Amino acid sequence: EGRRMGGTCGTLTGAALVLGLEYGPSQPGDAAAKDRTYRETQRLQRRFIERHGSNQCKELLGNDLSDEEAYQQARAEGLFKSRCPGYVQTAVDLLEEIIQLLTHISSLHSAIHHHPVAPLLLGLIERLGTRPAIGRIVDMPLCGGEAEAHHCT
């Protein structure tokens, strides 16, 4: 049936679908897009859990929704109306943060690689064997939030 199973919160499933549609592979074999989508979906899950302690409805609502009696009790207590809107808001906020970060990184990447001096800078970086902070931001696997971007390698 798919609903009332007590598993992963449906709002996270919906947010993961948005990430997949926006950033997932547009052609078979696009491993980079697939990896990026998995990475960002994991980030979404991690950050949701950090805020709410779980991503499982059973734990978020304190009732096993796969059990009809527990489901009816949760409904009678108004848990879906009192708690779920906050979980939806968190998922929307996190999704917005992730999309903004990916958009920002994509813009940086494009600007740097299309700048007239880009080949010279990239050659210099390669010869020096170092990657300045901007190199780490542009070429990094996406990890953590924007504040963490400077620490990714």
Side-chain angles (χ1 to χ4, degrees), residues 39-56:
R39 204 172 32 249
E40 296 310 315
T41 299
Q42 290 168 350
R43 177 199 318 253
L44 173 75
Q45 296 281 335
R46 252 190 341 269
R47 295 193 57 207
F48 186 93
I49 292 168
E50 287 169 4
R51 290 189 188 180
H52 297 292
S54 179
N55 64 352
Q56 301 294 300

Side-chain angles (χ1 to χ4, degrees), residues 10-20 41 44 91-92 95:
T11 193
L12 288 171
T13 303
L17 288 171
V18 169
L19 288 172
T41 299
L44 173 75
V92 168
L95 188 56

Side-chain angles (χ1 to χ4, degrees), residues 15-26 33 36-37 95 99 102-103:
L17 288 171
V18 169
L19 288 172
L21 287 170
E22 186 66 26
Y23 300 103
S26 58
R36 178 180 53 239
T37 303
L95 188 56
I99 289 171
L102 293 174
T103 301

Side-chain angles (χ1 to χ4, degrees), residues 64-77:
D64 181 358
L65 302 180
S66 65
D67 176 70
E68 184 62 28
E69 188 176 316
Y71 168 76
Q72 292 301 331
Q73 180 183 349
R75 206 166 162 207
E77 292 174 11

